[in-house]
Amino acid sequence: LFRKARGRRRGGGGGGGGGGKRSGGGIAADDSGFGDNSRALMRMKGDMAVLRNYFDEIAQFSPSLARTVDAEFKTLRTVYELLSIAGGESSSEPSDFVLLLHGRIGGDPRLTERAVVDLWTLMAPEDEGRVKQFLAEMEDRLADSSGSSKSGGVSHDGGRERIPGLRLDEVVAELYAK
């Protein structure tokens, strides 16, 4: 999908001097939000492992908490995989992960598109136009899956879904309403 740009990022930022804006006015690959995408992804993966170990220790005493931890980390892994694809570190198909995130965001195609563009351009700002085109081509799939995604793809137990600030769909809607 984005192989041309992916190869440029892996190759150290393209053919030419010292980073920043290229002479053609485009954004160089090393202008990502992290500077070094590989290092940022490695750190994220390590942080996710530490957090997962912590919550798994607690969840060993509660099967319902274990299910919640699994569901929440599935969302975190989805975001991580989208960042990895955008950063050229994964060759996975992004549409699968876009659809997973779409379900967790609550099935609003507009919010999904904005979130994915923001995540993608954090890693690869030069791909903004391509990712927007890709999402426009996915529009029908996002709309088709919206009807079955209203619950966010996860059953919430114990009234958790009523606690303000704990639902990803509500947080994303509030973030992009501004």
Side-chain angles (χ1 to χ4, degrees), residues 38-103:
S38 295
R39 187 171 185 185
L41 289 166
M42 182 178 62
R43 287 183 171 184
M44 283 180 220
K45 192 172 193 173
D47 290 346
M48 288 168 42
V50 168
L51 289 168
R52 182 65 196 239
N53 288 337
Y54 171 78
F55 285 108
D56 282 346
E57 286 286 320
I58 295 170
Q60 69 184 346
F61 304 109
S62 171
S64 63
L65 179 58
R67 286 188 298 274
T68 300
V69 168
D70 283 340
E72 298 305 325
F73 273 88
K74 181 178 181 184
T75 303
L76 191 54
R77 283 189 312 270
T78 299
V79 169
Y80 176 82
E81 189 62 28
L82 281 169
L83 291 171
S84 296
I85 296 166
E89 300 294 321
S90 172
S91 59
S92 296
E93 173 58 39
S95 61
D96 298 334
F97 297 98
V98 170
L99 290 171
L100 284 170
L101 187 61
H102 179 62

Side-chain angles (χ1 to χ4, degrees), residues 105-116:
I105 287 176
D108 182 335
R110 182 185 57 81
L111 293 177
T112 299
E113 290 170 9
R114 290 188 69 184
V116 170

Side-chain angles (χ1 to χ4, degrees), residues 17-49:
K21 294 275 184 186
R22 288 184 296 222
S23 60
I27 300 171
D30 56 356
D31 282 343
S32 79
F34 296 109
D36 184 341
N37 289 343
S38 295
R39 187 171 185 185
L41 289 166
M42 182 178 62
R43 287 183 171 184
M44 283 180 220
K45 192 172 193 173
D47 290 346
M48 288 168 42

Side-chain angles (χ1 to χ4, degrees), residues 144-159:
D144 289 346
S145 69
S146 292
S148 61
S149 300
K150 294 297 182 192
S151 70
V154 172
S155 62
H156 299 280
D157 51 356

